[in-house]
Amino acid sequence: MWEESVNINEVKEIRVKTTVFLGVGAIDKMDFIAQELAHKGVKSVLCVTGGGSYKRTGAWDHVQKACAAHGIKIALYDKVTPNPTTDSIDEAAALGRDNGASAVICIGGGSPIDAGKSAAVLLANPGKTAEELYTGAFAPDKAAPIVVINLTHGTGSEANRFAVATITRLNYKPAIAFECLYPWYSIDDPALMASLPAKQTRYVSIDAVNHSIEAATSKATNPFAILLAGECIRLVARWLPAAEENPGDLTARYFLAYAALLAGVSFDNGLLHYTHALEHPLSAVKPELAHGLGLAMIVPAVVELIYPSSAPVLAQILEPIVPGLKGIPAEAHAAASGVEQWLESVNVPEKLTAEGFGEGDIARLVELTQTTPSLGLLLSMAPVDATPERIETIYRVSMKTLD
């Protein structure tokens, strides 16, 4: 259906660059990866992680054993928080430098992965800071080799060139994208994800769905991005309820991890636009806000806005969660309401007011979309021009349930 809208004379980039080991038991590949690092002359690595999941899942034991077997020392930085900050990235990089680290192993979800990627850039670019990296003061062309052990199924950061961090003093949460940020190897082992709490399971899966919706509808999209987006949404629709019912269902975790991987590659090709650009100010202002929840509260309004310009694509990829769409502009509200109803069905009914946002916050949020580095690029990819008035409307509509 959407094929008719493709301009075959417009050249697109198709990107797949990271080797990802996907499957139960993939963590055992850590020995091979450590061997490869040793062959490259790596004698010390910086391990970037946070919380305690790196230990609870057993991932840390595998890393220690593999590195010891191949004569690699580890400097452990385990202070990364959700929505990582440039200050913590600087701390991690300093620890790595002090210990002669020449590679980075990231263990965790999107926050430790993005922080680790960023620290890898700083290790390869002495004298630079994370704030300089995230304000665009320099554009790196090199980073220390990056290895990812992914503990969630949402961000797709284990297979793409993106990272995100918050500059706390400015309430900025920019994204960066550089070729050197592609991980060398990544591990997606469903057994490491079985202990994800129910809320986090929902939020990270919703993140993957948002990646898909945006990547498939941006000005930069291509047929590959659309194909992957549709499959991601199909898999999440099928397997998220199973993972909620039985958190230890490794088949469900496998396909959710695969879905998130597809979405990560999809937006590596198609980029992102409205939903992520408008969520970043939310979690920059309120760092305790889960990224996936922020996205969930905004996406129905975004779908309603962009549907007329992207109806054939959205009708096709949303079919698993909003069946029966015909791909005509007039059904924009029905599509948005359908997305909202699906979110409610997976126990994420919240709106912005439930998280403490009100009318008085809208002007500041709109301002942050205009001033935060990198968000202008995301907004320029939107299929409908991202004027401040439209951004304001999305925030306002997202305060309450759609009529």
Side-chain angles (χ1 to χ4, degrees):
M1 182 160 51
W2 58 269
E3 292 91 333
E4 286 76 13
S5 66
V6 173
N7 177 2
I8 65 170
N9 296 305
E10 186 175 357
V11 177
K12 302 286 189 177
E13 293 182 7
I14 307 294
R15 312 180 71 96
V16 181
K17 292 198 172 185
T18 297
T19 297
V20 179
F21 297 110
L22 168 69
V24 177
I27 189 62
D28 292 334
K29 291 289 185 180
M30 193 58 229
D31 184 74
F32 162 76
I33 293 170
Q35 182 181 45
E36 291 291 289
L37 289 172
H39 285 168
K40 293 287 187 180
V42 173
K43 293 180 171 55
S44 176
V45 298
L46 169 67
C47 182
V48 178
T49 187
S53 60
Y54 72 104
K55 289 183 178 178
R56 289 193 302 270
T57 60
W60 177 235
D61 292 337
H62 282 83
V63 170
Q64 287 184 299
K65 181 179 178 181
C67 287
H70 296 282
I72 299 173
K73 296 179 181 179
I74 305 173
L76 174 65
Y77 183 86
D78 60 356
K79 301 177 184 178
V80 178
T81 59
N83 297 308
T85 67
T86 51
D87 292 335
S88 67
I89 293 166
D90 285 332
E91 283 185 359
L95 177 66
R97 280 192 296 270
D98 290 345
N99 286 272
S102 57
V104 176
I105 298 175
C106 317
I107 309 177
S111 295
I113 296 171
D114 289 357
K117 285 181 170 182
S118 306
V121 170
L122 300 187
L123 288 179
N125 294 271
K128 301 297 185 182
T129 68
E131 184 168 321
E132 289 174 324
L133 175 62
Y134 277 90
T135 55
F138 79 105
D141 59 5
K142 59 183 177 179
I146 300 162
V147 173
V148 169
I149 301 172
N150 187 24
L151 301 185
T152 70
H153 42 72
T155 70
S157 192
E158 76 270 24
N160 64 36
R161 61 199 155 112
F162 290 87
V164 176
T166 299
I167 305 172
T168 307
R169 69 180 186 86
L170 299 173
N171 284 147
Y172 285 171
K173 186 181 176 183
I176 57 174
F178 297 106
E179 295 290 316
C180 60
L181 290 181
Y182 284 106
W184 192 24
Y185 289 106
S186 290
I187 290 172
D188 274 335
D189 189 333
L192 302 181
M193 304 175 187
S195 61
L196 273 177
K199 280 188 176 181
Q200 194 174 5
T201 293
R202 294 192 288 268
Y203 295 159
V204 295
S205 300
I206 289 167
D207 190 10
V209 169
N210 274 273
H211 291 155
S212 300
I213 291 172
E214 292 171 82
T217 57
S218 81
K219 291 177 182 176
T221 197
N222 60 44
F224 188 48
I226 295 169
L227 172 72
L228 299 181
E231 182 66 354
C232 168
I233 294 174
R234 184 186 73 81
L235 291 168
V236 171
R238 178 175 179 185
W239 293 105
L240 178 55
E244 287 216 83
E245 183 177 347
N246 178 11
D249 184 339
L250 295 187
T251 299
R253 295 290 184 185
Y254 176 96
F255 283 110
L256 290 174
Y258 178 53
L261 173 63
L262 294 181
V265 177
S266 181
F267 86 79
D268 200 28
N269 282 271
L271 303 181
L272 302 172
H273 52 81
Y274 270 119
T275 318
H276 275 76
L278 271 65
E279 192 287 324
H280 283 200
L282 297 178
S283 50
V285 171
K286 294 182 181 290
E288 69 278 8
L289 176 67
H291 175 59
L293 175 57
L295 296 169
M297 295 187 292
I298 294 171
V299 68
V302 171
V303 168
E304 183 161 24
L305 174 64
I306 68 172
Y307 194 90
S309 68
S310 308
V313 172
L314 285 171
Q316 182 163 322
I317 69 171
L318 291 176
E319 173 67 23
I321 61 176
V322 190
L325 295 173
K326 298 175 182 177
I328 57 175
E331 62 190 0
H333 187 72
S337 295
V339 170
E340 185 175 73
Q341 290 164 20
W342 176 74
L343 289 167
E344 292 173 355
S345 77
V346 295
N347 301 306
V348 187
E350 291 90 344
K351 297 298 176 183
L352 290 179
T353 50
E355 295 302 309
F357 293 99
E359 285 284 328
D361 297 306
I362 292 177
R364 175 60 174 155
L365 293 171
V366 173
E367 178 189 3
L368 286 170
T369 67
Q370 308 300 297
T371 58
T372 301
S374 82
L375 297 191
L377 174 60
L378 294 187
L379 291 171
S380 73
M381 291 293 107
V384 178
D385 286 348
T387 63
E389 293 75 19
R390 285 181 172 138
I391 294 168
E392 179 180 336
T393 296
I394 292 170
Y395 281 130
R396 181 163 284 111
V397 170
S398 300
M399 293 285 173
K400 56 187 178 63
T401 302
L402 294 175
D403 296 327

